[in-house]
């Protein structure tokens, strides 16, 4: 049977892809769309940040089940802010050892719930081989040795006593690599993020194809587009996608023809999230430190003492943890006074109350009620549906500006058992906190809004049915199903 290659292109957006296809600048992506199926309305997980999204991709569930709340979140057990590396300023503040330990070890071995299985674990159970090239979430049944590059090793006190788990074939740039040849040293250095880049990933894929060692399922993470779109902004993202397309061309060129590639492989191309264009001017950054300056906010790198709240900034979304429950009302009032904040959500009786920044309009929802949504979940919904742009369509709850809002918001807020407030910014805005990167006149993501949440999906080389409208969490099941319905 055919093998499956899943290309996960960071910050790939349907609008940009379609513009490029119209201008005929992305021949490889165009080829895959022409020979296969394309959806412009696939919906990713929330918060729209790589760590929580990738966890959803490989486990097929939202964060309430897989338990990775976001890129940045607060761990009440360890009393510390968990950061899977978001910019060097944060790293400097928290220390490389802390960040390295979280992203290389804790994310997969500790934070990702043991109650769920990853696609790699499930394929192994079925006797299928799998691989992960540079993906952040890779838990599997095999153990791999971590080799920290010299510089990283010098600056980190953390020593890997244990190996980390992954599928049969795994790379994390120069830090973990199984039996790969031909990867040039110059794309694995400090400036190249130790090999967490597109060139490295493509070299690894080509090497696996040429050697014949490519596993039956291979997940390939291509991060460069994200960095470029953050700088340029989503309205100028075509050139970046043209570069991504060149990478995909290199994979297809490894075969005698592009059609030959499709006779051997099923290709799936998707993204982890989109991005929103951020305005050019300080007012487009909502400074959470000054908005919440009445309270004692736990900052990165500090120990919890008599702090009131912890703010975990995920760009266009933030988790605000109230360490003193009696202060919640006061904090909410402060947040509500800010009209650049889009939604303010709190947990209430197993459900969620969502208020709109500025107006204070609100809606409440809870699982298992009389309303069924287009994805098949049922809900109790009370209040003003406009707050989440919900509407009834042929008797089903349908979504407007906030795709799959009910399940996704529930997923984020119930990823932890403790009280938490979730806030998102209106389009054009992002949150600012000390030590975190901002992107004025560039691109940013994290929110529930469709700009950050809608991703393209291309499936080529199989007619196998996928649940529609498609969601990123359906891909795991879809891929396992392909293998189950084909003889070995
Ligand atoms: Zn990003």
């Amino acid at each position: 049977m055919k093998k499956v290659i899943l290309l996960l292109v960071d910050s790939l957006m349907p609008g940009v892809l379609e513009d490029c296809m119209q201008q005929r600048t992305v021949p490889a992506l165009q080829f895959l769309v022409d020979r296969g199926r394309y959806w412009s309305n696939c919906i990713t997980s929330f918060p729209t940040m790589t760590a929580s999204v990738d966890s959803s991709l490989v486990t097929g569930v939202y964060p309430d089940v897989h338990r990775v709340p976001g890129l940045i979140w607060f761990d009440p057990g360890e009393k510390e802010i968990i950061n899977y590396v978001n910019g060097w300023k944060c790293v400097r503040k928290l220390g490389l050892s802390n960040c390295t330990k979280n992203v290389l070890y804790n994310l997969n071995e500790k934070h990702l719930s043991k109650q769920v299985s990853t696609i790699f674990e499930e394929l192994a159970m079925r006797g299928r081989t799998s691989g992960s090239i540079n993906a952040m979430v890779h838990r599997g049944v095999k153990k791999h040795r971590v080799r920290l590059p010299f510089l990283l090793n010098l600056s980190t006190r953390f020593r890997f006593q244990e190996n980390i788990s992954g599928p049969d074939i795994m790379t994390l740039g120069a830090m973990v690599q199984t039996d790969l040849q031909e990867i040039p040293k110059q794309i694995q250095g400090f400036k190249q993020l130790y090999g967490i880049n597109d060139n490295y990933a493509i070299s690894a894929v080509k090497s696996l194809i040429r050697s014949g060692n490519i596993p039956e399922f291979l997940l390939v993470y291509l991060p460069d587009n994200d960095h470029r779109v953050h700088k340029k902004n989503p309205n100028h993202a075509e050139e970046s996608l043209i570069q991504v397309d060149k990478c995909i061309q290199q994979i297809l060129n490894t075969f005698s023809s592009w059609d030959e590639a499709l006779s051997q492989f099923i290709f799936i191309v998707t993204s982890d999230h989109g991005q929103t264009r951020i305005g050019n001017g300080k007012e487009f950054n909502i400074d959470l430190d000054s908005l919440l300056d009445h309270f004692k906010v736990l900052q990165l790198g500090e120990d919890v003492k008599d702090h009131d709240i912890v703010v975990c900034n995920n760009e266009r979304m933030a988790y605000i943890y109230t360490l003193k429950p009696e202060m919640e009302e006061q904090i909410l009032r402060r947040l509500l006074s800010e009209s650049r904040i889009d939604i303010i959500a709190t947990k209430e009786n197993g459900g969620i109350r969502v208020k709109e920044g500025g107006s204070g309009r609100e809606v409440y929802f809870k699982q298992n009620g009389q309303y069924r949504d287009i994805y098949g979940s049922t809900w109790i919904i009370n209040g003003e549906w406009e707050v989440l742009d919900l509407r009834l369509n042929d008797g089903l709850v349908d979504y407007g500006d906030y795709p799959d809002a009910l399940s996704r918001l529930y997923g984020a807020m119930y990823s932890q058992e403790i009280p938490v407030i979730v806030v998102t910014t209106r389009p054009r805005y992002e949150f600012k906190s000390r030590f975190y990167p901002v992107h004025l006149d560039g691109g940013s993501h994290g929110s529930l809004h469709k700009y950050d949440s809608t991703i393209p999906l291309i499936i080529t080389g199989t007619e196998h049915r996928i649940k529609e409208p498609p969601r990123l969490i359906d891909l795991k099941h879809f891929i396992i199903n392909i293998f189950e319905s084909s003889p070995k």
Side-chain angles (χ1 to χ4, degrees), residues 232-245:
K232 286 257 175 174
N233 93 40
N235 292 4
H236 298 93
E238 287 94 344
E239 272 143 55
S240 177
L241 192 58
I242 291 170
Q243 291 191 50
V244 172
D245 194 78

Side-chain angles (χ1 to χ4, degrees), residues 380-431:
I380 296 167
I381 310 171
N382 292 317
E384 299 193 59
W385 288 38
E386 295 79 14
V387 175
L388 283 175
D389 201 16
L390 307 171
R391 73 279 309 263
L392 268 187
N393 228 338
D394 285 335
L396 295 177
V397 177
D398 201 353
Y399 299 95
D401 281 346
Y402 311 94
D404 197 17
L406 304 180
S407 291
R408 294 167 70 222
L409 197 49
Y410 186 90
M413 298 204 69
Y414 285 89
S415 60
Q416 294 176 275
E417 249 102 71
I418 50 172
V420 66
I421 302 169
V422 161
V423 284
T424 66
T425 64
R426 292 186 191 276
R428 303 278 275 166
Y429 298 93
E430 70 177 343
F431 288 121

